[in-house]
Amino acid sequence: MVVPEPRGWRAAKPRLTGLARAAGPRLARLTQTARPRLARAARSVTPRIARLTTAAGPRPARPRTWQYTATAATAGLALAAGVVTAAGPWDSSGQRTAERDRAAALERAGGADHGRGSDTSAPSGTAVDGLRPAPSAPPVLVGLGRSGHQANPAAGAPALAGVLDPLLRDPALGGHHSAVVLDLTTGRRLYGQDADAAFTPASTTKIATATAALSALGPDHRFTTRAALEPGTAHLVLIGGGDPTLTARAQPGGWASLRTLADRTAAALAERGLKEVTLSYDTSLYAGSDLHPIGVNDNLARVTALMADEARTDGSSSGPAPRAADPAAAAARAFAGFLQDHGVRTGAPDPAKATGRAQTLASVSSPPLSDVVERMLTNSDNDIAEALARQTAAATGERTDFAGGARAIADRLARLGLPLTGAAFHDGSGLDRSDKLTADLLTALLREAADPAHPGLRPILTGLPVAGFTGTLADRYTGDGAAGIVRAKTGTLTGVNTLAGTAVDRDGRLLAFAFLAEDTTDPQAAQSALDRAATALAGCGCR
């Protein structure tokens, strides 16, 4: 039986999308006015981190500095305020607010603006709708690396081990666990415990899925849903393009809208004098069974190339939910209803594959893949993950079923030169307990996303939930001093607890970490133990 992860941070009300566009200047002012209070907050939480790391074991005496504490707390908590104000983990440009403000402060032109509706014709480095592009990965990560400290594995590993070893021996983590910590600026390993041992990764598998999809498709790729008319007939076909974010809601919130597609299709039919059509729906983009090996489960709809709102029947936008038995048929019926609102009669839709001669009347496309990946990671969205596995298969010539998606993920990671020894993929979401990953591979994936040579993988870092504020970490780290500082992907199955992400330590080093535990008996206790380890890592500044 699958233990669902904590419900993700609910998608903001659609009207807040407009507010997000105007939030940039206000957030900049908020950061300035909040800075003194944030510094005081940082001073108040640091003793708790100090007590935690002191209890974990002795470490060499060294001068302390409050520079990191004030800076990290300011950036993290200002980001949190931006998240609350701008309604979600994305701002209106599709990038983290704190990073965009930092780029402006450095007067740097950022990397690609992955925001929904961005003006791609604007010159590089110029403002679009009053917002500067987000910085690309190199300035953000190199900036952190300019703290003046260089990782020294020989000196740093023993001290870090003195902090982490006692915490990872917590009985709540069972008798089988693994951990790795890397300095992302240098790529050097600072800590390792059974780094090459293969574990069931649960939802941290999504980091691998995201890496493979972005590598195969590119961050600007979009998924398109079409309505096509067979020539010389009144046969209309709704063709699924595998967009897992397609929505039928009245307020789409920036995602592709089934209602908009119906509006455009009705207009095109009116131009042809057609007021009645035979409606079919085409899901042929995907092959094989649409039922995940775990069976019918509230954590995942049937995997089909056509669905709206992930086939949720309770109005939710994330987390476990009851699903329609046939997602494609449900989406087609909704589409038929929207056409009827325009006076177009359709009858009951049936499945049918469009011919190669079918003429596209209208289409709608998802936001860029960078946005889709961020949403998947922040909310631990299983439906998006399985769609991305099949889209990766389609892009690489593999069969678009569960097995083909797994092969495609492994192949893309191999092409990146990542350490796959012991790894095994069976799905894209991590719901399959046969999946196996190592802590070494998870941290290598995060290192790859931080590598200036692979800026297209940056959404993997920006999509990680923010401790205490967003997604599956919204209700964690709220009182231990790591809120806004740790970003990590969670993973939870029965007897399995995992956590992999990034943290900035007390000396300003950007670290990647992966903690995996099996044979746990109390999921909440195990989760808390992993959180304590991540908090100690952020507060350590170990050498």
Side-chain angles (χ1 to χ4, degrees):
M1 181 180 71
V2 175
V3 178
E5 296 191 11
R7 293 179 70 88
W9 186 78
R10 292 288 187 188
K13 294 296 182 182
R15 66 185 180 84
L16 292 179
T17 302
L19 292 177
R21 290 188 175 278
R26 291 200 302 272
L27 294 180
R29 293 194 296 270
L30 176 63
T31 303
Q32 290 297 325
T33 58
R35 195 176 303 275
R37 284 178 293 171
L38 295 174
R40 290 195 296 271
R43 289 194 291 271
S44 69
V45 299
T46 298
R48 289 199 293 272
I49 300 176
R51 288 196 296 272
L52 179 60
T53 54
T54 300
R59 63 183 179 186
R62 58 184 300 277
R64 298 192 176 205
T65 173
W66 298 106
Q67 180 180 6
Y68 158 68
T69 304
T71 303
T74 300
L77 295 180
L79 167 63
V83 166
V84 174
T85 304
W90 310 275
D91 60 25
S92 62
S93 72
Q95 299 291 357
R96 300 294 184 185
T97 300
E99 294 176 353
R100 191 186 68 243
D101 289 347
R102 183 177 188 278
L106 294 175
E107 296 183 352
R108 294 182 185 272
D113 179 359
H114 300 307
R116 297 187 287 277
S118 59
D119 180 2
T120 57
S121 65
S124 175
T126 63
V128 178
D129 293 335
L131 302 176
R132 288 183 179 275
S136 55
V140 173
L141 303 180
V142 172
L144 289 171
R146 289 174 181 163
S147 61
H149 302 284
Q150 293 297 324
N152 184 340
L160 189 55
V163 171
L164 290 182
D165 282 350
L167 294 172
L168 295 176
R169 285 196 294 266
D170 191 317
L173 296 178
H176 190 205
H177 52 266
S178 172
V180 168
V181 178
L182 292 182
D183 184 325
L184 281 181
T185 302
T186 65
R188 293 176 177 174
R189 182 186 294 178
L190 305 179
Y191 179 85
Q193 182 181 121
D194 287 335
D196 299 325
F199 282 72
T200 299
S203 277
T204 53
T205 300
K206 294 181 177 71
I207 298 175
T209 303
T211 303
L214 287 166
S215 172
L217 298 164
D220 297 321
H221 184 81
R222 299 172 187 260
F223 308 119
T224 299
T225 307
R226 299 186 292 129
L229 189 66
E230 295 290 357
T233 73
H235 183 196
L236 182 68
V237 185
L238 178 61
I239 304 172
D243 180 2
T245 64
L246 182 69
T247 179
R249 292 177 177 144
Q251 300 295 330
W255 306 99
S257 169
L258 194 63
R259 293 172 184 260
T260 299
L261 182 60
D263 294 345
R264 294 172 180 173
T265 302
L269 291 172
E271 290 177 358
R272 290 162 174 77
L274 291 174
K275 295 184 178 180
E276 184 171 0
V277 295
T278 300
L279 179 62
S280 299
Y281 57 93
D282 182 348
T283 61
S284 61
L285 178 63
Y286 294 169
S289 173
D290 62 2
L291 184 63
H292 192 280
I294 64 173
V296 176
N297 192 285
D298 284 354
N299 286 289
L300 179 70
R302 287 179 176 269
V303 183
T304 175
L306 175 65
M307 70 169 75
D309 300 304
E310 300 179 336
R312 297 171 182 272
T313 61
D314 65 352
S316 64
S317 57
S318 64
R323 312 300 180 108
D326 188 338
R333 287 193 297 269
F335 183 69
F338 300 146
L339 287 177
Q340 289 169 11
D341 291 341
H342 290 281
V344 179
R345 297 185 297 276
T346 66
D350 293 313
K353 188 178 186 302
T355 69
R357 297 179 297 111
Q359 179 185 4
T360 298
L361 299 184
S363 65
V364 291
S365 295
S366 72
L369 178 58
S370 55
D371 286 17
V372 176
V373 163
E374 285 190 338
R375 173 171 160 176
M376 176 187 72
L377 294 173
T378 298
N379 291 334
S380 194
D381 193 305
N382 297 309
D383 298 280
I384 294 178
E386 295 303 343
L388 295 189
R390 299 206 181 198
Q391 294 282 4
T392 303
T396 57
E398 292 283 356
R399 179 174 164 83
T400 53
D401 56 9
F402 283 107
R407 287 193 300 270
I409 291 171
D411 178 69
R412 296 309 300 184
L413 301 190
R415 289 171 180 266
L416 290 171
L418 295 165
L420 293 178
T421 301
F425 297 97
H426 297 276
D427 67 0
S429 63
L431 289 173
D432 194 318
R433 300 181 69 88
S434 300
D435 292 334
K436 297 294 179 183
L437 296 182
T438 65
D440 190 27
L441 175 57
L442 282 169
T443 50
L445 288 164
L446 296 168
R447 182 192 67 219
E448 203 75 7
D451 189 339
H454 300 288
L457 300 181
R458 183 171 174 268
I460 295 165
L461 298 184
T462 58
L464 293 173
V466 180
F469 296 107
T470 65
T472 54
L473 293 186
D475 57 355
R476 292 165 65 169
Y477 300 87
T478 55
D480 64 4
I485 297 172
V486 169
R487 293 183 178 187
K489 181 70 202 73
T490 57
T492 309
L493 294 172
T494 301
V496 173
N497 290 85
T498 62
L499 190 68
T502 65
V504 183
D505 76 359
R506 188 164 53 86
D507 289 336
R509 291 182 301 176
L510 182 63
L511 307 178
F513 65 88
F515 304 141
L516 301 96
E518 289 183 349
D519 303 325
T520 60
T521 57
D522 183 336
Q524 292 300 319
Q527 173 181 295
S528 296
L530 294 181
D531 289 349
R532 285 192 293 272
T535 297
L537 183 64
C540 182
C542 302
R543 292 270 128 300

